[in-house]
């Protein structure tokens, strides 16, 4: 029997097994302090983890409406999962999906540490398997050039700074002098070449922050496409993903078109 929410087990396992006894997990929340990327993007509907001065936010988003325009529709289920129809986005071509995902990382959300983005290793982990398995790829979010919007807790909506294209030194300077970074990404930019937006499935997307090889904070959401995946994964699979995907090599690459 199909179950749209079976991978909520994985969200719970990720949180329970990460041993953050006092971690602050919030659903349908704002991130600190604004949506500083792009133009017209609103705050809200993020799944947010706050731990030791670090804030990690993730959300799904309807990337294009019927007219092809972006909009602020997030389809949150209120439990760390986000549901979208299967299919190619209107006015777009395959493999552009109906949905995208957006993330926010803050190395000093409460102003208590003074830490900047380059004081931690921030990684994005995406599960490429639409089915019950977990096939994760890991990306170092500051290991090269990206077009992240970067700022501080005082940066206004849509006013983040981006380094010039392929300006690695400029990008690193921004990371060394700021504590907030955000971006909005389409899944086919990061998922395996076989990604098919028309297939029902459930995708796990995580952010984690590490310092000196130690996991400091981690957050996970799930994107449920169509009817989602079909079966509950084995406990060993859940444990593998929830324990921080130890041993995976981080990929480093530049801006995607």
């Amino acid at each position: 029997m199909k179950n749209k929410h079976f991978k909520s087990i994985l969200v719970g396992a990720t949180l329970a097994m990460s041993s953050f006894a006092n971690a602050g997990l919030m659903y349908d929340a704002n991130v600190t302090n604004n949506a500083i990327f792009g133009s017209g993007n609103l705050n809200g509907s993020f799944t947010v983890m706050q731990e030791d001065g670090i804030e990690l936010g993730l959300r799904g988003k309807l990337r294009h409406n019927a007219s092809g325009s972006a909009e602020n529709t997030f389809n949150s289920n209120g439990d760390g999962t986000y549901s979208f129809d299967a299919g190619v986005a209107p006015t777009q071509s395959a493999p552009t999906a109906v949905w995208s995902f957006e993330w926010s990382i803050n190395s000093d959300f409460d102003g208590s540490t003074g830490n900047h983005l380059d004081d931690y290793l921030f990684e994005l982990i995406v599960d490429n398997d639409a089915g019950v398995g977990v096939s994760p790829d890991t990306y170092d979010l500051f290991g090269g050039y990206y077009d992240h919007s970067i700022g501080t807790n005082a940066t206004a909506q849509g006013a983040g700074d981006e380094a010039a294209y392929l300006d690695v030194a400029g990008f690193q300077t921004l990371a060394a002098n700021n504590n907030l970074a955000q971006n909005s990404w389409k899944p086919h930019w990061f998922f395996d070449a076989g990604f098919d937006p028309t297939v029902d499935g459930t995708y796990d997307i995580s952010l984690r922050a590490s310092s000196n090889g130690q996991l400091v904070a981690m957050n996970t959401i799930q994107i449920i496409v169509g009817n989602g995946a079909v079966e509950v994964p084995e406990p060993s699979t859940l444990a593998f993903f929830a324990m921080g995907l130890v041993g995976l090599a981080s990929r480093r690459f530049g801006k995607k078109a």
Side-chain angles (χ1 to χ4, degrees):
M1 179 177 179
K2 292 187 177 181
N3 184 346
K4 290 186 177 182
H5 300 290
F6 83 90
K7 279 198 174 182
S8 61
I9 295 171
L10 184 53
V11 171
T14 300
L15 298 174
M17 300 180 70
S18 61
S19 72
F20 300 133
N22 299 313
L25 176 65
M26 298 172 285
Y27 301 118
D28 290 338
N30 288 339
V31 293
T32 308
N33 63 318
N34 280 300
I36 67 170
F37 60 96
S39 176
N41 294 303
L42 300 181
N43 208 341
S45 294
F46 281 95
T47 298
V48 176
M49 171 66 76
Q50 294 176 342
E51 177 73 16
D52 290 340
I54 293 173
E55 179 182 87
L56 304 175
L58 285 161
R59 69 184 179 188
K61 183 177 181 178
L62 186 67
R63 184 68 181 224
H64 301 277
N65 60 25
S67 67
S69 301
E71 60 176 74
N72 289 290
T73 300
F74 308 107
N75 291 357
S76 170
N77 298 309
D79 60 357
T81 66
Y82 298 79
S83 296
F84 299 92
D85 292 336
V88 176
T91 76
Q92 304 293 305
S93 58
T96 301
V98 168
W99 59 276
S100 61
F101 65 94
E102 298 180 337
W103 57 262
S104 175
I105 56 178
N106 194 324
S107 58
D108 187 21
F109 78 92
D110 57 2
S112 66
T113 67
N115 289 334
H116 295 126
L117 293 164
D118 67 345
D119 288 317
Y120 298 94
L121 171 64
F122 288 103
E123 295 172 298
L124 171 73
I125 306 161
V126 295
D127 169 22
N128 287 294
D129 191 341
V132 299
V134 177
S135 178
D137 286 327
T138 304
Y139 302 93
D140 179 351
L141 290 176
F142 292 89
Y145 171 82
Y146 287 91
D147 63 345
H148 305 337
S149 294
I150 295 177
T152 70
N153 294 343
T155 303
Q157 180 183 7
D161 291 325
E162 293 88 35
Y165 182 52
L166 296 182
D167 180 6
V168 176
F171 178 66
Q172 293 173 344
T173 297
L174 285 173
N177 289 284
N178 293 276
N179 62 285
L180 176 63
Q182 298 174 349
N183 220 326
S184 178
W185 283 339
K186 298 180 181 181
H188 71 272
W189 291 347
F190 298 90
F191 287 24
D192 288 341
F195 171 71
D196 185 347
T198 68
V199 172
D200 289 358
T202 304
Y203 299 95
D204 302 284
I205 301 173
S206 296
L207 290 173
R208 67 181 175 193
S210 303
S211 178
N212 298 318
Q214 299 296 314
L215 183 66
V216 178
M218 187 168 179
N219 191 13
T220 299
I221 64 169
Q222 292 158 349
I223 304 295
I224 300 169
V225 178
N227 289 314
V230 179
E231 300 174 15
V232 177
E234 294 297 323
S236 59
T237 303
L238 294 173
F240 172 76
F241 196 83
M243 290 303 290
L245 306 171
V246 177
L248 291 176
S250 295
R251 295 188 176 182
R252 299 188 176 193
F253 65 102
K255 181 179 179 182
K256 288 282 185 174

